[in-house]
Amino acid sequence: MSMIKTVNVCKAFQTPGGRAPLEVLKNVSLTVEQKEVVCIIGPSGAGKSTYLRALNRLETIDEGQIYIEDTLLFDCHRGVNRAKMNQEERSKILLEVGMVFQRFNLFPHKTALENVMLAPVHVRKLPPAEAREKSIQILERVGLADKVDEYPAKLSGGQLQRVAIARALAMEPRIMLFDEPTSSLDPELVGEVLAVMKQLASAGMTMLVVTHEMGFAREVADKVIFMYDGALLESGTPEAIFSNPVNERTRQFLQSVLKN
């Protein structure tokens, strides 16, 4: 079963002054299989984050189809979704998709544990005692057993991002989306977040990761996607993409980032 499938997804943003719309996604077709780790690489402005946000309904699309676990959620033409599904059913399926952002977006007035517990209690309707127990276990899983009662202001960037990952995992998703989860971290904190992501991959979590961490993509990904100017230009195994890219744009990008 494919966990994520998109067919010819297009998205354009309106621009001021009557200028032509800015095309940010151009016929993007991609399939992510169960337990597969797919990394999307490419320069800033390539459409990577917009694509990820479209999968989770944080951005609308103009054209194309989006399937989650082989179920058609969006079948859009000129911005109108023609998929025959009510809102409640669609929302239930999207609960299976967890997302971790560049910014942590934690509630500053709540502890790490309270941040993780919120969605299971209010969305999944778990009893607070059960949600608390599960949330503590998840925080232990991401290496924060000693930080459950700390407020975000007392945590490092790496710890904040691990709380954000725990928060997503608390909803027991079947798919995890990561949107450049280490880009706002100091270099010395990147490793602790990548270590958690590697653990998730080893445990069989289906993951779609937008990342600038080429070492992580090379080591962990089953498939690497190169996006440029809104289009998917190349797809292959890490070995093929990093050792022998076919597309000239891919080659130029990798030469630029790897020499740095």
Side-chain angles (χ1 to χ4, degrees), residues 50-66:
T50 301
Y51 177 67
L52 227 61
R53 291 171 62 85
L55 296 175
N56 220 14
R57 204 178 55 182
L58 297 174
E59 291 283 1
T60 59
I61 61 172
D62 302 322
E63 305 285 340
Q65 299 173 325
I66 298 177

Side-chain angles (χ1 to χ4, degrees), residues 7-223:
V7 181
N8 295 328
V9 165
C10 300
K11 170 71 177 179
F13 289 118
Q14 297 302 314
T15 54
R19 290 176 293 177
L22 176 65
E23 291 184 90
V24 290
L25 296 177
K26 303 172 183 176
N27 295 308
V28 179
S29 296
L30 173 64
T31 300
V32 181
E33 303 294 346
Q34 191 170 18
K35 298 186 178 182
E36 192 173 35
V37 178
V38 176
C39 286
I40 303 178
I41 63 172
S44 297
K48 307 182 301 294
S49 293
T50 301
Y51 177 67
L52 227 61
R53 291 171 62 85
L55 296 175
N56 220 14
R57 204 178 55 182
L58 297 174
E59 291 283 1
T60 59
I61 61 172
D62 302 322
E63 305 285 340
Q65 299 173 325
I66 298 177
Y67 297 80
I68 300 293
E69 296 190 79
D70 286 340
T71 300
L72 179 62
L73 268 63
F74 302 98
D75 181 13
C76 294
H77 180 59
R78 295 183 177 177
V80 177
N81 185 15
R82 303 174 295 187
K84 305 297 184 190
M85 180 179 292
N86 63 49
Q87 187 69 26
E88 184 178 351
E89 190 178 357
R90 184 179 293 112
S91 296
K92 184 177 179 180
I93 292 172
L94 286 171
L95 287 179
E96 303 298 332
V97 184
M99 189 159 181
V100 177
F101 301 87
Q102 298 177 31
R103 300 292 175 181
F104 323 117
N105 299 324
L106 300 179
F107 290 105
H109 61 290
K110 293 187 178 295
T111 65
L113 177 58
E114 289 168 339
N115 268 283
V116 175
M117 284 178 59
L118 269 177
V121 170
H122 294 285
V123 180
R124 291 284 193 193
K125 306 301 181 184
L126 282 185
E130 183 180 348
R132 177 183 174 84
E133 183 179 347
K134 287 189 174 182
S135 297
I136 289 173
Q137 290 174 355
I138 294 168
L139 284 166
E140 289 174 350
R141 182 178 173 187
V142 300
L144 294 173
D146 59 336
K147 302 295 182 182
V148 294
D149 294 322
E150 295 283 4
Y151 288 90
K154 295 292 184 70
L155 300 176
S156 71
Q159 290 167 341
L160 291 169
Q161 192 61 291
R162 284 186 282 156
V163 174
I165 293 172
R167 179 181 56 187
L169 290 174
M171 291 293 287
E172 300 182 345
R174 291 169 54 80
I175 303 164
M176 284 286 284
L177 308 178
F178 291 88
D179 185 10
E180 299 186 20
T182 61
S183 64
S184 61
L185 300 179
D186 292 333
E188 67 269 19
L189 301 177
V190 168
E192 63 190 64
V193 174
L194 294 181
V196 172
M197 294 170 65
K198 289 175 185 177
Q199 290 172 13
L200 291 176
S202 297
M205 175 66 76
T206 303
M207 296 165 57
L208 183 56
V209 184
V210 170
T211 185
H212 290 299
E213 299 294 335
M214 298 300 124
F216 175 84
R218 189 194 293 263
E219 179 185 348
V220 180
D222 298 297
K223 184 164 61 186

